[in-house]
Amino acid sequence: MREKTERVIREWTESCDAEVSIAVLGGAWKPSILSLLAEHGVLRFGELGRLLDNPTARVLTRQLRELEQDGLVVRTVYQQVPPKVEYRLSELGESAGPLVEALTRWGGQYAAQQRAGVGAAPSG
Amino acid sequence: MREKTERVIREWTESCDAEVSIAVLGGAWKPSILSLLAEHGVLRFGELGRLLDNPTARVLTRQLRELEQDGLVVRTVYQQVPPKVEYRLSELGESAGPLVEALTRWGGQYAAQQRAGVGAAPSG
DNA sequence: CAGAATCCATCGTGATACTG
DNA sequence: CAGTATCACGATGGATTCTG
C-alpha cells in the first residue's frame, strides 16, 4: 500500500471512508486506467498510453505503480528484449468497477448539466 | 462553477467523466460535509467545524465555497450581529448522495481489508 | 519498449494572526 | 460568529532528456 493511502486510512479512521476511495482512485488517469483494464483485460504499457491521451511516460508509470501498490493492478514483467510489461486488474481492482462506473455516471450527468448552462441564461 | 471543475469538464471531454466527479468531490473534507448536510439538513459554519475534526476556518471556508460554486451547496447569510451563515444541500448536492455513499462503502471495505493485513502474514 | 532522472510550475492543505 | 490575509510546505502533474 502507498504511504499516502496508509496515512489516509490511519488519520481518517472516523466516518470519512470516502476519503480512502478518493485517495486510491484520485489520480489524474486512474479511473480511466481501471476502466480500460476492465474492458480489455490485459494491456501493455504502450497500449495504455495510446488508449489514454498519451500522458508522459513518467506520469503513466507513477499512476500504474500507485495502483499496483494499492493492490488494484497487477504488473507482469517479461524478461526479454525489447521489454514487455503487462497490466491487469487484481480482484480488488475489479471490485472497484461499480464505483468507477458510479463516478463516471454522476460526473457525466454533472458535466452535461453544466454544459447545458445551469449558470447561463437565467430567464430574462 | 469553479474554474477547476470547468477546466476538467472542458479538457476531459472524452470517456473520463469520473474525473469530473473527483474534481467536484475530491476535497479534503467534501464527502464528509456532504454526508453531514444530508443527515442534518441545515448546519451553521461553526456546527460543521465541530462535527468535522475542526479544520481551520480557512480550509473549511474554501471547501464550502467550492461546493457552493460547483452548485452542490447553498449558502445563506443572515445579516445580523453576530453573523449567522447556514449551509444546506442543493438538489444537485442531494443527487450526489448515493455516490458519496458508494465511495464510503468501498473505502470502508478497502480500509478494513488493508488493516486486516493483506500485506501481512501471507500464509506460510 | 518501458521506463528512470532531473527539473519545474502549480495546487491543496494547514498554521497563524487579524477583523466586522 | 464567520470569516479574511499572509505565509509555508508537500504533493502532483508534466516537459525534457537519457537508457538497458
Side-chain angles (χ1 to χ4, degrees), chain A residues 16-108:
Chain A
C16 324
D17 289 329
E19 305 287 348
V20 175
S21 294
I22 291 178
V24 174
L25 302 178
W29 305 88
K30 290 179 184 177
S32 304
I33 290 171
L34 295 175
S35 299
L36 286 172
L37 290 179
E39 183 185 349
H40 295 261
V42 178
L43 286 171
R44 296 180 60 172
F45 182 85
E47 292 176 320
L48 268 168
R50 264 165 272 129
L51 289 170
L52 304 167
D53 196 24
N54 289 311
T56 63
R58 180 186 185 279
V59 169
L60 181 53
T61 300
R62 289 203 46 159
Q63 300 295 307
L64 288 167
R65 292 294 159 80
E66 291 178 3
L67 287 171
E68 188 194 6
Q69 286 178 51
D70 283 338
L72 304 203
V73 156
V74 178
R75 177 171 177 260
T76 309
V77 182
Y78 294 87
Q79 283 299 355
Q80 60 182 52
V81 180
K84 173 178 170 182
V85 179
E86 284 182 349
Y87 294 89
R88 61 182 177 80
L89 293 182
S90 68
E91 204 170 321
L92 198 53
E94 285 173 10
S95 82
L99 181 54
V100 173
E101 282 175 35
L103 287 165
T104 302
R105 253 196 315 280
W106 191 86

Side-chain angles (χ1 to χ4, degrees), chain A residues 5 9 12 16-22 25 27-28 31-32 70 92 95-96 99 103-104 106-108 110 113-115, chain B residues 1 5 9 12 16-22 25 27-28 31-32 70 92 95-96 99 103-104 106-108 110 113-115:
Chain A
T5 306
I9 291 181
W12 293 72
C16 324
D17 289 329
E19 305 287 348
V20 175
S21 294
I22 291 178
L25 302 178
S32 304
D70 283 338
L92 198 53
S95 82
L99 181 54
L103 287 165
T104 302
W106 191 86
Y110 180 89
Q113 189 172 334
Q114 299 297 320
R115 283 200 212 91
Chain B
M1 186 167 33
T5 307
I9 291 180
W12 294 72
C16 323
D17 289 329
E19 305 288 346
V20 175
S21 295
I22 290 179
L25 302 178
S32 303
D70 283 339
L92 199 52
S95 82
L99 181 53
L103 287 165
T104 302
W106 191 86
Y110 179 89
Q113 190 173 333
Q114 298 297 320
R115 283 200 213 91

Side-chain angles (χ1 to χ4, degrees), chain B:
Chain B
M1 186 167 33
R2 282 192 299 156
E3 202 278 325
K4 170 175 174 174
T5 307
E6 195 178 341
R7 207 176 53 233
V8 172
I9 291 180
R10 221 185 322 113
E11 295 177 1
W12 294 72
T13 314
E14 330 266 330
S15 57
C16 323
D17 289 329
E19 305 288 346
V20 175
S21 295
I22 290 179
V24 174
L25 302 178
W29 305 87
K30 290 180 184 176
S32 303
I33 291 171
L34 295 175
S35 298
L36 286 172
L37 291 178
E39 182 185 350
H40 294 262
V42 179
L43 286 171
R44 296 181 59 172
F45 182 84
E47 291 175 320
L48 268 168
R50 263 166 273 128
L51 289 170
L52 303 167
D53 196 24
N54 289 310
T56 64
R58 179 184 186 281
V59 169
L60 181 53
T61 300
R62 289 201 46 158
Q63 301 295 308
L64 288 167
R65 291 295 157 80
E66 290 178 3
L67 287 171
E68 188 194 5
Q69 287 178 50
D70 283 339
L72 304 202
V73 157
V74 178
R75 178 172 176 258
T76 310
V77 182
Y78 295 86
Q79 283 298 356
Q80 61 181 52
V81 180
K84 174 178 169 181
V85 180
E86 284 181 348
Y87 295 88
R88 60 181 177 81
L89 292 182
S90 68
E91 204 170 322
L92 199 52
E94 285 172 10
S95 82
L99 181 53
V100 173
E101 283 174 35
L103 287 165
T104 302
R105 254 196 313 281
W106 191 86
Q109 287 174 18
Y110 179 89
Q113 190 173 333
Q114 298 297 320
R115 283 200 213 91
V118 165
S123 75

